Amino acid sequence: ESSAASDVYKRQLSPSATLVMLQKTNELKAAGVDVIGLTAGEPDFNTPDFIKDAAKRAISENYSRYTPVPGYLSLRQAICDKLQRENSLTYAPTDIVVGNGAKHELANAILTLVNPGDEVVIPTPAWVSYVELVKLAEGKPVCVATKPENGLKMTAEELEAALTPRTRALLLNSPSNPTGSVYAKEELDALAAVLAKHPDVTVISDEIYEHINFTDRPVASIAHCEGMRERVLIINGVSKAYAMTGWRIGYIAAPTAVAKAITKLQGQMTSGASSIAQKAAEAAYNGPQECVAEMCQAFRRRRDLVYALAQEIPGWKTFKPMGAFYLFPDVSALVGKRVGDRVIGSSSDYVMYLLEEANVVTVDGAAFCAPGYIRLSYATSDDNIREAMARVKAATEKLV
């Protein structure tokens, strides 16, 4: 029976919509189409030189052999130092597991925690891989639609209503991909108060966009809330903060027993992450941090630009993102509009219309469990943003 269930879930596993659209962008560019891709979930900056220099030294110093499964001790200590310095959270290297990107450690966490039939509560809109990874573990995703009036963030009441005796985990993401929403400490305290009545529920806190934060205070972690430190698995990494997406280094900070279980799983699946990339990540955490602030400043400027331009597009209802580098407009007002014989029947139709009419690539909100929305990444140049939004505006104005 379990084998049959596995087959069903594997058949139902969906490809990553963001990666599909990124591939489509690259194919169109290769074919000579003047296309602007607003799909990539990665900074368009180069990795800072001091990090690249550390990688070169690691090659010269022959860091070319298998690493410990959970990562070099020196890197895990650097991560502990970062968590203490920036987040006032105390961890030991035995609580840290380094893997092949934050997505890998997220998968490890879910596969370690979730047994067949276990429920995982996921506030939506949610990143495309959350639901699929729960399905891969043969768990049951419990998607909770958040409301615009709450900033597309889960409330304590919504969490309470979603919890059952089968709930194993809550998956939080702040700052959020795709919405750009950021949970305030007070909002997390309210969620923690609900979880205090459900001691068997673990929180997986995806904090990969931590440093792309446009609020006036550091991003809060639910691990800070009363009674939560031993019930939270923090997922983070170097991809977004240091423009190191291709280096594939992420980590999980967890209670020691969970970290040991994840290390056992990782040892059977991938072993340790790249030795060279680990030494580069160590330099990132131990080195000067001005580059992080500079990139965040650039993203804030782009956020302001794309948000202002979005106000000029008919039929869009846009929420101002407070973190990450995505705009997530509600385009449901365009459903039913037409140009000639072409009818926009859904947000998916609108995404394809923008691709074919404006040569602008976006992602359908349905991939994020939010049909009626679309996602645009503004991790691109100011010129690309201006040109893309002008094309989108012109194409949308044709719809009647």
Side-chain angles (χ1 to χ4, degrees):
E1 187 174 276
S2 177
S3 175
S6 284
D7 289 343
V8 169
Y9 278 108
K10 286 169 186 172
R11 284 199 302 272
Q12 291 178 347
L13 200 65
S14 302
S16 167
T18 52
L19 295 181
V20 167
M21 294 306 283
L22 179 59
Q23 181 179 346
K24 187 179 289 290
T25 303
N26 293 333
E27 289 172 354
L28 288 167
K29 286 181 177 178
V33 179
D34 178 22
V35 65
I36 300 176
L38 301 180
T39 61
E42 62 178 346
D44 60 324
F45 302 103
N46 292 322
T47 302
D49 287 340
F50 77 92
I51 298 173
K52 292 187 286 189
D53 290 342
K56 294 171 189 175
R57 282 195 303 274
I59 294 171
S60 298
E61 294 169 5
N62 296 309
Y63 281 90
S64 54
R65 294 174 174 81
Y66 289 131
T67 75
V69 170
Y72 285 128
L73 177 61
S74 55
L75 173 55
R76 286 181 284 139
Q77 183 60 59
I79 292 168
C80 291
D81 294 343
K82 174 262 183 243
L83 288 165
Q84 184 68 62
R85 179 178 68 245
E86 297 183 353
N87 309 99
S88 300
L89 291 169
T90 301
Y91 288 88
T94 49
D95 303 328
I96 308 298
V97 183
V98 175
N100 298 286
K103 183 188 283 190
H104 179 210
E105 289 310 329
L106 177 66
N108 280 345
I110 292 171
L111 288 169
T112 299
L113 287 178
V114 178
N115 289 316
D118 284 350
E119 295 176 358
V120 179
V121 175
I122 304 173
T124 62
W127 181 50
V128 296
S129 291
Y130 292 155
V131 167
E132 301 305 316
L133 288 174
V134 173
K135 285 162 54 178
L136 188 65
E138 299 184 27
K140 179 184 176 183
V142 177
C143 296
V144 178
T146 58
K147 298 180 175 64
E149 55 266 32
N150 297 323
L152 296 175
K153 292 178 281 187
M154 172 178 272
T155 65
E157 294 75 20
E158 288 167 342
L159 174 60
E160 183 73 76
L163 296 173
T164 77
R166 293 305 304 269
T167 305
R168 185 67 185 91
L170 164 66
L171 218 169
L172 282 181
N173 178 209
S174 176
S176 165
N177 172 8
T179 67
S181 299
V182 178
Y183 283 84
K185 176 64 162 57
E186 299 77 17
E187 293 168 326
L188 295 174
D189 283 337
L191 297 180
V194 172
L195 292 168
K197 297 178 284 185
H198 302 268
D200 294 331
V201 178
T202 297
V203 179
I204 302 172
S205 182
D206 182 351
E207 302 177 10
I208 191 66
Y209 291 95
E210 171 192 14
H211 287 106
I212 306 173
N213 167 32
F214 313 132
T215 68
D216 57 0
R217 51 186 172 177
V219 172
S221 173
I222 197 169
H224 268 301
C225 299
E226 184 176 354
M228 294 304 300
R229 166 64 176 75
E230 293 301 313
R231 297 176 56 188
V232 175
L233 313 184
I234 293 176
I235 307 288
N236 209 330
V238 295
S239 292
K240 315 299 183 181
Y242 301 96
M244 294 176 67
T245 51
W247 296 78
R248 306 314 302 135
I249 295 292
Y251 70 82
I252 188 164
T256 307
V258 178
K260 286 181 177 178
I262 288 172
T263 299
K264 191 184 301 183
L265 174 66
Q266 184 163 298
Q268 295 294 351
M269 295 181 71
T270 62
S271 300
S274 160
S275 56
I276 306 305
Q278 284 193 50
K279 298 309 287 185
E282 184 181 329
Y285 286 125
N286 287 336
Q289 300 298 302
E290 290 82 3
C291 58
V292 178
E294 289 168 4
M295 282 188 268
C296 181
Q297 196 170 29
F299 283 127
R300 181 193 289 266
R301 187 191 68 247
R302 293 172 179 180
R303 186 277 308 263
D304 291 343
L305 173 62
V306 74
Y307 180 73
L309 294 172
Q311 307 311 304
E312 302 174 8
I313 299 176
W316 280 27
K317 186 186 296 182
T318 309
F319 307 97
K320 192 170 190 178
M322 300 309 294
F325 39 67
Y326 307 106
L327 195 70
F328 200 62
D330 177 349
V331 299
S332 57
L334 298 174
V335 174
K337 302 278 188 180
R338 65 173 62 232
V339 55
D341 294 332
R342 183 169 195 158
V343 178
I344 304 300
S346 64
S347 52
S348 176
D349 288 347
Y350 182 57
V351 164
M352 293 310 298
Y353 173 68
L354 293 181
L355 174 62
E356 295 166 9
E357 178 68 24
N359 288 342
V360 174
V361 190
T362 59
V363 186
D364 180 16
F368 304 92
C369 306
Y373 291 78
I374 65 171
R375 193 194 77 170
L376 298 78
S377 168
Y378 51 88
T380 187
S381 69
D382 291 26
D383 288 345
N384 272 350
I385 291 170
R386 289 191 185 93
E387 176 62 20
M389 296 300 277
R391 293 184 188 182
V392 168
K393 180 184 178 185
T396 305
E397 286 176 339
K398 294 179 182 178
L399 297 172
V400 294

